[in-house]
Amino acid sequence: MAHDVVLIPGDGIGPEITAAMRRVVDATGVDIAWQVVDAGAGVMEEYGTPLPPHVLDAIAQTGVAIKGPVTTPIGTGFRSVNVALRHAFDLYACVRPCVTLPGATSRYSDIDLVVVRENTEDLYAGIEFDPGSFEADRLARLLERNGDRSFRPGSAISIKPISAEGSRRIVTYAFDYARRMGRSKVTAVHKANIMKATDGLFLRVAREVAASYPDIAFEDKIVDATCMGLVMDPHDFDVLVLPNLYGDIVSDLCAGLVGGLGMAPGANIGETCAVFEATHGSAPDIAGKDIANPTAEILSAAMMLDHLGELEAASRIRAAVATTLEAGEQVTADIRRSLTGSEEGAVGTQAFADAVIANLA
Ligand code: NAD
């Protein structure tokens, strides 16, 4: 029976890399019934929202979606479609494996770590007040009345909620993932020395959860020290679990350790739905030129196939991507540059997908 999967092409390089991904998945022979729906700025005029109800209904029905990146206006405009999707389906766990792939030059070899980022709380919860707004002024007055704290007049305010329940389920997810995947250590990353209430709670809960997994080593690290540690020796890390904001930043840092954003796949997992997507954004600087690297999107599809129980097809895709990168001949400009120092001989996004498909056999 076919697997029903919602496909959101996204914008920028999204349509190009999702087309490449779809051809690779179809070439494995796994029967997928793709339901293609659009989200983002392109549908604003027609539906008055970047995430129309029929897109949400389709995902609720299939329980599985894969998407290309969607551009978010910076500072003003509509709220991120990605953040909205994570909230709509309570996709609380963002899982981003960072593995050194053949052919991807980086300062390190043999990196194999996984970032597990909490996706629904923290400064990304969307509780924000503009400078001079009624809410910001009221909050400032309330704090002044209740203690000795004050803000500079006209401050903008973002609120950072972290709950015991949210912390427990993400840390539990990280430990269960470590156990399932045969990994040996979980590092909880925080800034509890400064943010004693919020990060302090995350850390306390992480320690409690860790006590139930005596077979997995546990450590905690302050986020700044973690960044330095990752750059000095990433082999010290295995599974990292982080609140939302640190998770976002550290994911990109780890992607940089394994050859860049074009190489880093991801999954957003909830109790009833899962949405797969590359770590990178819509890369407007290279959109529409058939030069984007589709590796991260193709590897996100491999994670999706694992989720659907199509383990053999997922492994074949990973092996075919590795073979293509290792050969270094039919690869996109970013890979070619990191391999040879020059983009000469690079192929386009779709030609890279053709090479992966040829290597599936
Ligand atoms: P970006 O990840 O789009 O690009 C950063 C740099 O990496 C650019 O130089 C780009 O050319 C390069 N790059 C990214 N993906 C690549 C690929 N597959 N192949 C080759 N090069 C690649 O980050 P940005 O420029 O900060 O963000 C652009 C837009 O994407 C923003 O609107 C942002 O909000 C959005 N965004 C969306 C998602 C998502 O939909 N999941 C994630 C992150 C950012």
Side-chain angles (χ1 to χ4, degrees):
M1 210 174 76
H3 300 284
D4 290 315
V5 171
V6 170
L7 169 59
I8 303 174
D11 51 45
I13 59 171
E16 303 161 59
I17 59 169
T18 52
M21 172 281 296
R22 181 174 170 170
R23 289 199 297 116
V24 171
V25 172
D26 286 341
T28 64
V30 172
D31 193 3
I32 305 265
W34 302 97
Q35 287 185 38
V36 182
V37 287
D38 288 321
V43 302
M44 274 298 278
E45 204 177 316
E46 189 174 352
Y47 298 102
T49 163
L51 192 55
H54 69 271
V55 175
L56 294 170
D57 290 347
I59 300 173
Q61 216 164 55
T62 60
V64 181
I66 184 160
K67 62 181 282 294
V70 176
T71 304
T72 312
I74 294 182
T76 56
F78 61 78
R79 195 172 164 222
S80 158
V81 165
N82 310 302
V83 174
L85 266 180
R86 290 167 196 165
H87 279 269
F89 295 108
D90 200 19
L91 304 171
Y92 66 93
C94 179
V95 182
R96 290 173 167 171
C98 291
V99 178
T100 309
L101 292 163
T105 10
S106 141
R107 289 182 187 277
Y108 301 96
S109 54
D110 302 329
I111 293 177
D112 181 5
L113 53 84
V114 183
V115 177
V116 177
R117 160 189 172 191
E118 204 288 326
N119 241 352
T120 62
E121 302 197 318
D122 198 350
L123 284 159
Y124 284 41
I127 312 168
E128 297 203 286
F129 305 120
D130 286 327
S133 64
F134 171 71
E135 293 86 352
D137 289 345
R138 207 162 64 152
L139 193 54
R141 279 201 304 279
L142 182 75
L143 286 175
E144 275 165 27
R145 260 208 315 274
N146 289 342
D148 54 0
R149 305 296 168 91
S150 62
F151 303 130
R152 288 204 177 91
S155 292
I157 301 172
S158 298
I159 303 225
K160 169 172 167 146
I162 297 231
S163 69
E165 185 199 337
S167 303
R168 183 161 290 109
R169 69 177 178 172
I170 194 65
V171 178
T172 303
Y173 184 93
F175 273 97
D176 284 343
Y177 179 93
R179 205 176 250 175
R180 199 169 64 244
M181 306 303 273
R183 290 182 173 267
S184 57
K185 184 169 79 171
V186 171
T187 304
V189 181
H190 59 87
K191 188 79 183 172
N193 53 330
I194 304 295
M195 272 168 267
K196 295 179 196 293
T198 47
D199 286 20
L201 175 61
F202 178 80
L203 176 58
R204 264 200 317 283
V205 170
R207 286 181 174 148
E208 276 168 33
V209 173
S212 313
Y213 294 83
D215 49 320
I216 313 276
F218 173 72
E219 65 177 2
D220 72 87
K221 258 194 176 12
I222 291 176
V223 64
D224 34 359
T226 303
C227 291
M228 189 190 69
L230 281 164
V231 172
M232 300 270 296
D233 189 2
H235 302 105
D236 275 352
F237 295 87
D238 191 349
V239 176
L240 295 97
V241 61
L242 312 89
N244 209 338
L245 175 64
Y246 310 145
D248 194 5
I249 297 165
V250 168
S251 295
D252 275 27
L253 191 159
C254 291
L257 293 173
V258 296
L261 284 170
M263 301 294 196
N268 298 290
I269 310 278
E271 295 297 340
T272 58
C273 283
V275 177
F276 299 82
E277 62 180 343
T279 298
H280 61 72
S282 56
D285 52 333
I286 57 168
K289 298 179 180 164
D290 189 43
I291 57 173
N293 177 1
T295 301
E297 191 71 19
I298 293 171
L299 294 177
S300 300
M303 292 178 80
M304 179 184 81
L305 290 171
D306 279 338
H307 178 84
L308 292 169
E310 299 286 356
L311 306 186
E312 198 234 323
S315 310
R316 281 174 61 214
I317 288 181
R318 288 191 186 98
V321 168
T323 307
T324 310
L325 294 173
E326 196 158 25
E329 292 301 328
Q330 286 170 283
V331 293
T332 49
D334 56 325
I335 304 171
R336 194 81 190 150
R337 201 183 323 120
S338 76
L339 282 173
T340 65
S342 141
E343 293 179 4
E344 214 183 304
V347 302
T349 310
Q350 302 311 322
F352 176 86
D354 291 338
V356 173
I357 290 167
N359 285 324
L360 277 174

